[in-house]
Amino acid sequence: MLEIMGALGLAEWLGLASVSAVVLGAFGLRGRPKRRAGEMAAEAPPRVTARQGDGGEGLPPGMSPADAHRARIQAGIEAFQRARGSVVLRVVHHLPYEYVDEHTAIEAIDALRAAGPDAPVDIILHTPGGLLHAAQQILHALKHHRGRKTAFIPYSAWSAGTMIALACDEIVLGSSAVIGPIDPQLGGLPAPLLAELLDDKSNDRINDQMLVIAKMAKQAVKEAKEFACDYVNPAHNGGNESCALTNELIGSGRNHQAPIMPQEAIAMGLNVSMQMPETLYQVCQPPPEEEAMLTVNLFGSRIDQKTAALLDLDGLQKRLR
């Protein structure tokens, strides 16, 4: 496993829940096509106002529960956008292989370019984090956008998601929302701890591969501290240019998944509000599970009731008789 991590050679701001997906992605083992990381308000699916239950009742003919889910989210985003008079960027990830990547960076950059330099921008965040270089591109675009920038986190924004929020003028957190440390990771291992190997052991007691990884980690921590400090919005530092906040979030010894709750974020000096619009909780809901799953065991295969209903096996059997 260590060889795999070293071979990845990638510095990331990524929550641990998605590390296995990065490893699978490195070997081309993703199970299904990757959805676009951000969804802009301009890309509207068919509009629907009816809510459907588990069985999909109340849907227009030909509309699947997934289409209805996307339409409801789109309607919520459009209503939020009208009320705020802002440009809305939705960076919401639910599937294990979704995270902040090059696609997210391209969408964020293009959205800010199209918005105009003084337009207010609202970013809806629900993400495990992502690739460090992609996050840095987004941070750069946010820093050079003159309009007011607000991050909304109804549930959670880890790692790179936290850093994107810190680049905004204000962070609006749900009552139980969490953000987290921003220490870079190398192959799923915390770079600050890997870098400490150079201090804890003499070079002759570290094999060549680990020595290279430890040196890469040390460099990754140095670079992360430099540009995180550069891109964090002064509103979260009491208006000054101190690096104390980012140093705390990178080198405090916290576990990468250690949650920072709203009260602690406020105590740290972040410019935080807890006035979360109810609409945004709905906007961050996961999509319905629609795909038929075949469960295989040593004695053959079986299909559960939900899958049977999706496949309409009773109807198929009747047609075959």
Side-chain angles (χ1 to χ4, degrees):
M1 184 62 181
L2 207 49
E3 292 179 356
I4 293 175
M5 293 180 194
L8 286 174
L10 89 110
E12 60 208 20
W13 267 333
L14 187 62
L16 295 179
S18 292
V19 168
S20 60
V22 176
V23 175
L24 292 175
F27 290 93
L29 297 178
R30 291 180 178 177
R32 44 186 160 169
K34 185 180 186 301
R35 298 189 314 178
R36 298 182 64 183
E39 296 178 21
M40 293 306 301
E43 300 174 356
R47 185 181 298 275
V48 61
T49 55
R51 294 185 63 86
Q52 97 280 12
D54 293 337
E57 61 272 12
L59 298 181
M63 178 171 280
S64 70
D67 288 338
H69 173 81
R70 284 190 291 269
R72 283 196 304 274
I73 287 177
Q74 187 61 44
I77 291 174
E78 290 176 354
F80 178 71
Q81 184 170 260
R82 287 193 299 270
R84 296 272 299 177
S86 64
V87 173
V88 175
L89 174 61
R90 178 175 177 263
V91 182
V92 175
H93 302 132
H94 291 295
L95 299 178
Y97 50 78
E98 293 182 324
Y99 48 87
V100 175
D101 60 5
E102 292 86 353
H103 296 289
T104 321
I106 289 171
E107 289 183 1
I109 291 168
D110 288 348
L112 292 170
R113 287 174 54 241
D118 299 306
V121 173
D122 292 328
I123 305 178
I124 305 169
L125 289 164
H126 180 71
T127 178
L131 302 182
L132 190 145
H133 69 273
Q136 187 172 6
Q137 288 183 278
I138 297 171
L139 299 177
H140 186 272
L142 288 171
K143 181 176 181 177
H144 292 88
H145 182 77
R146 297 197 301 262
R148 181 169 177 79
K149 303 168 286 281
T150 307
F152 290 85
I153 304 173
Y155 296 108
S156 63
W158 298 99
S159 206
T162 296
M163 193 58 227
I164 292 170
L166 289 172
C168 296
D169 299 286
E170 181 184 15
I171 302 172
V172 181
L173 295 175
S175 58
S176 298
V178 295
I179 57 176
I182 58 173
D183 52 307
Q185 308 289 294
L186 280 177
L189 296 176
L193 293 183
L194 285 172
E196 289 180 7
L197 284 176
L198 300 175
D199 299 323
D200 295 341
K201 287 186 173 184
S202 60
N203 287 356
D204 60 345
R205 296 180 58 211
I206 307 175
N207 67 45
D208 291 347
Q209 184 182 27
M210 282 307 304
L211 186 61
V212 171
I213 291 174
K215 290 185 175 182
M216 288 172 59
K218 186 175 182 179
Q219 183 67 22
V221 171
K222 176 178 178 292
E223 292 171 352
K225 284 186 175 181
E226 288 175 352
F227 75 73
C229 180
D230 184 40
Y231 289 125
V232 70
N233 195 299
H236 305 297
N237 273 334
N240 60 54
E241 300 297 326
S242 168
C243 296
L245 174 62
T246 49
N247 288 344
E248 166 73 11
L249 291 173
I250 291 175
S252 66
R254 293 172 181 262
N255 184 288
H256 194 61
Q257 290 291 94
I260 299 173
M261 306 299 289
Q263 292 75 13
E264 184 179 0
I266 294 170
M268 293 174 69
L270 275 60
N271 185 25
V272 167
S273 162
M274 295 177 64
Q275 303 301 312
M276 179 63 64
E278 186 65 28
T279 301
L280 299 192
Y281 288 105
Q282 301 303 318
V283 165
C284 291
Q285 293 303 305
E289 290 292 335
E290 286 192 303
E291 297 183 356
M293 300 297 292
L294 188 65
T295 304
V296 179
N297 58 37
L298 293 175
F299 304 100
S301 301
R302 63 180 178 82
I303 300 176
D304 59 28
Q305 292 182 346
K306 180 180 178 181
T307 302
L310 288 171
L311 295 177
D312 189 20
L313 293 185
D314 290 339
L316 179 60
Q317 290 176 351
K318 292 177 181 178
R319 288 192 293 273
L320 292 176
R321 287 173 185 167

